[in-house]
Amino acid sequence: MTGNTNRIIKIYKSLLSYFGPQHWWPGETPFEIIIGAILTQNTSWSNVETAIGNLKDHGLLDPQKLNQVSPEMLSELIRPSGYYNQKARKIMNFLEYLWAEYGGDIERMKLKGVDSLRYELLSIKGIGLETADSILLYALGKPVFVVDTYTYRIMYRHGFLSEETSYQDIQELFYRYLAKDLLIYNEYHALLVSCGKNFCKKKEPLCSGCPLKDDLKD
Ligand code: SF4
């Protein structure tokens, strides 16, 4: 094992032992997870929960039912998540794709290989890398590592990345040093989010109480 492999695994173990399993992604069905992954762009999870709650209350967390809703009604229901007109359009774009390619059936979608699915998802207007990878990992059970701002901030502050590192390069870091394991990818990302929210704050990292402080270089 290389030094970096040891460190990446040690970071994972330290986070897991501090925070415990995160049970991601919060969502009862793959479709709910997909909608949540789109709604969570640029907003807090509590706002997403309110929007998802509205869709649930109207019995709309179902590809068939949501497909029959007008853009105006969808926008109104997801208003708490912010950027609601844009997000309604993104959800409609996803539904259009789901029906065109898979007859509205997410189980059929799951049968496709990860590379093709990733390519397809990234071709949908409004679905970027993080959203596509969140859908692949958490809704469709494909082994991809999700990268977000917390991932970048923590790995940058620990000297693994430069300022200019791309999404793919950050993802490569984990692919290179971790076994390809769906459960580890699932848990690792969720743990990095917890660490970022609780300790590795944007303005001022709270290193003294952080479970990763021993990994920091002088
Ligand atoms: S808070 Fe400090 S120790 Fe914790 S992840 Fe951020 S830089 Fe590392």
Side-chain angles (χ1 to χ4, degrees):
M1 273 206 235
T2 67
N4 274 347
T5 308
N6 277 333
R7 280 180 72 203
I8 298 270
I9 292 171
K10 206 166 158 218
I11 286 173
Y12 175 70
K13 287 184 174 166
S14 303
L15 291 173
L16 187 60
S17 110
Y18 185 88
F19 290 108
Q22 299 294 293
H23 307 293
W24 269 39
W25 180 294
E28 288 169 19
T29 62
F31 188 64
E32 182 178 334
I33 293 170
I34 291 169
I35 300 300
I38 294 171
L39 293 180
T40 199
Q41 296 172 356
N42 304 309
T43 194
S44 70
W45 185 250
S46 59
N47 292 334
V48 176
E49 280 180 324
T50 312
I52 294 260
N54 287 346
L55 294 172
K56 256 187 201 164
D57 291 346
H58 286 76
L60 292 174
L61 275 179
D62 171 276
Q64 188 137 22
K65 292 190 180 127
L66 202 58
N67 207 31
Q68 289 159 7
V69 165
S70 69
E72 294 74 24
M73 183 176 173
L74 179 56
S75 294
E76 200 46 44
L77 290 169
I78 64 167
R79 182 185 275 265
S81 71
Y83 304 99
Y84 46 92
N85 286 327
Q86 277 179 37
K87 287 180 182 176
R89 178 41 47 209
K90 291 177 187 185
I91 290 172
M92 296 254 162
N93 291 345
F94 172 78
L95 282 168
E96 204 178 302
Y97 152 79
L98 182 64
W99 281 93
E101 298 296 326
Y102 301 101
D105 186 349
I106 290 179
E107 292 308 311
R108 265 181 65 196
M109 197 181 165
K110 278 186 187 173
L111 298 175
K112 200 131 184 203
V114 60
D115 292 340
S116 309
L117 278 176
R118 192 168 194 262
Y119 178 81
E120 290 174 9
L121 286 169
L122 289 173
S123 309
I124 301 171
K125 200 160 179 241
I127 305 269
L129 291 162
E130 185 186 335
T131 308
D133 286 343
S134 298
I135 291 172
L136 288 167
L137 177 64
Y138 292 108
L140 305 178
K142 304 289 180 186
V144 297
F145 199 95
V146 179
V147 170
D148 67 352
T149 50
Y150 296 120
T151 319
Y152 172 74
R153 193 186 301 154
I154 293 168
M155 300 319 276
Y156 172 71
R157 284 176 173 164
H158 283 251
F160 286 98
L161 310 171
S162 72
E163 250 173 69
E164 301 300 322
T165 314
S166 69
Y167 184 100
Q168 269 85 358
D169 288 341
I170 303 171
Q171 209 171 33
E172 251 329 292
L173 177 73
F174 292 93
Y175 290 154
R176 200 176 314 134
Y177 298 118
L178 279 180
K180 192 173 182 179
D181 185 310
L182 183 65
L183 293 179
I184 292 179
Y185 288 178
N186 177 323
E187 198 65 72
Y188 209 143
H189 172 67
L191 288 164
L192 287 169
V193 171
S194 280
C195 183
K197 282 188 175 159
N198 289 285
F199 295 104
C200 208
K201 313 249 180 197
K202 190 174 178 185
K203 283 201 177 137
E204 198 183 342
L206 307 171
C207 299
S208 63
C210 178
L212 300 188
K213 67 175 181 300
D214 291 345
D215 182 76
L216 271 182
K217 302 263 187 238
D218 294 332

